[in-house]
Amino acid sequence: MIDNKREEFYFLTERLQEIDAALEGNCNDIDCDKYIYKYCLKKIHKPVLRHGFSCTLSLKREKEAIMRIVSLTRYKKCRYLKCTVCGKKVDSLGKECSVVSFTRPCGDKGYVEYKGIYAHKKCKRKVAVPDGWKRW
Ligand SMILES: [Zn+2]
Ligand SMILES: [Zn+2]
C-alpha cells in the first residue's frame, strides 16, 4: 500500500525548500528578476517583476499556509522523528534539527549511496558512523 501521508508530506516539504530558496534570492517565479533560470529566458522573456517587491510577500504567505498544513496531526509521524543520539523527538522542519550525511561506494561504477541521519543540532557531534559508511 502506498503511504499517502508520507508522499504528501514529502511534496509539501519539497515546496517549502523551494520557497526558502526563493526567499533567499533564487526565485522560481518566471517573471521575477531573480528567477533561477533567467539566463535561459533572457532572450525570449524579459523578466518584469522585481523580487522582494512582488514575490516575497506571496512566498511568505504560501510558506505560512504550508507550515499550517504540515502542522496537522495527520503529518505528525512524518514530521517528528526520533533523534538517533538521545532518542528524543526532533522536529524535522525545526531549527534544532540537523541531518548528518554519510556516503558509501555503491557498485563498481563509482556511484555513491547516500544516507541521512536525523539528530538534534546539539547531538550532531555524537552521531555514530554506521558500519561501512563515511561521513560526507
Ligand atoms: Zn522573485
Ligand atoms: Zn538528540
Side-chain angles (χ1 to χ4, degrees), residues 1-60:
M1 202 181 84
I2 303 164
D3 190 342
N4 284 328
K5 275 185 219 169
R6 210 159 278 280
E7 267 193 14
E8 286 162 19
F9 186 76
Y10 180 74
F11 176 79
L12 290 163
T13 48
E14 276 226 312
R15 182 67 194 133
L16 270 183
Q17 283 169 9
E18 270 176 37
I19 294 173
D20 281 336
L23 287 170
E24 280 162 24
N26 296 312
C27 199
N28 52 10
D29 188 326
I30 202 166
D31 291 321
C32 173
D33 66 354
K34 294 253 186 200
Y35 185 60
I36 317 167
Y37 305 109
K38 198 167 70 177
Y39 57 91
C40 304
L41 296 161
K42 237 178 196 166
K43 284 176 193 161
I44 320 165
H45 301 278
K46 210 173 164 206
V48 282
L49 300 181
R50 255 202 305 141
H51 185 71
F53 193 74
S54 47
C55 312
T56 315
L57 197 64
S58 70
L59 285 166
K60 278 185 179 160

Side-chain angles (χ1 to χ4, degrees), residues 11-132:
F11 176 79
L12 290 163
T13 48
E14 276 226 312
R15 182 67 194 133
L16 270 183
Q17 283 169 9
E18 270 176 37
I19 294 173
D20 281 336
L23 287 170
E24 280 162 24
N26 296 312
C27 199
N28 52 10
D29 188 326
I30 202 166
D31 291 321
C32 173
D33 66 354
K34 294 253 186 200
Y35 185 60
I36 317 167
Y37 305 109
K38 198 167 70 177
Y39 57 91
C40 304
L41 296 161
K42 237 178 196 166
K43 284 176 193 161
I44 320 165
H45 301 278
K46 210 173 164 206
V48 282
L49 300 181
R50 255 202 305 141
H51 185 71
F53 193 74
S54 47
C55 312
T56 315
L57 197 64
S58 70
L59 285 166
K60 278 185 179 160
R61 274 202 199 115
E62 194 185 344
K63 184 173 176 172
E64 270 168 32
I66 295 180
M67 284 310 287
R68 269 198 299 273
I69 301 171
V70 292
S71 301
L72 298 173
T73 330
R74 173 176 174 81
Y75 300 114
K76 225 173 180 171
K77 271 194 182 147
C78 307
R79 178 170 174 183
Y80 294 95
L81 307 164
K82 219 166 127 184
C83 170
T84 335
V85 177
C86 68
K88 284 183 193 150
K89 209 165 68 171
V90 59
D91 178 359
S92 63
L93 300 174
K95 286 201 174 83
E96 78 277 20
C97 180
S98 134
V99 186
V100 188
S101 311
F102 299 94
T103 57
R104 71 174 175 197
C106 175
D108 50 9
K109 285 181 180 161
Y111 292 123
V112 285
E113 200 180 336
Y114 170 90
K115 184 210 231 8
I117 290 181
Y118 288 90
H120 292 102
K121 274 208 177 112
K122 57 176 165 62
C123 302
K124 196 177 161 183
R125 283 160 183 268
K126 292 185 202 153
V127 171
V129 181
D131 260 354

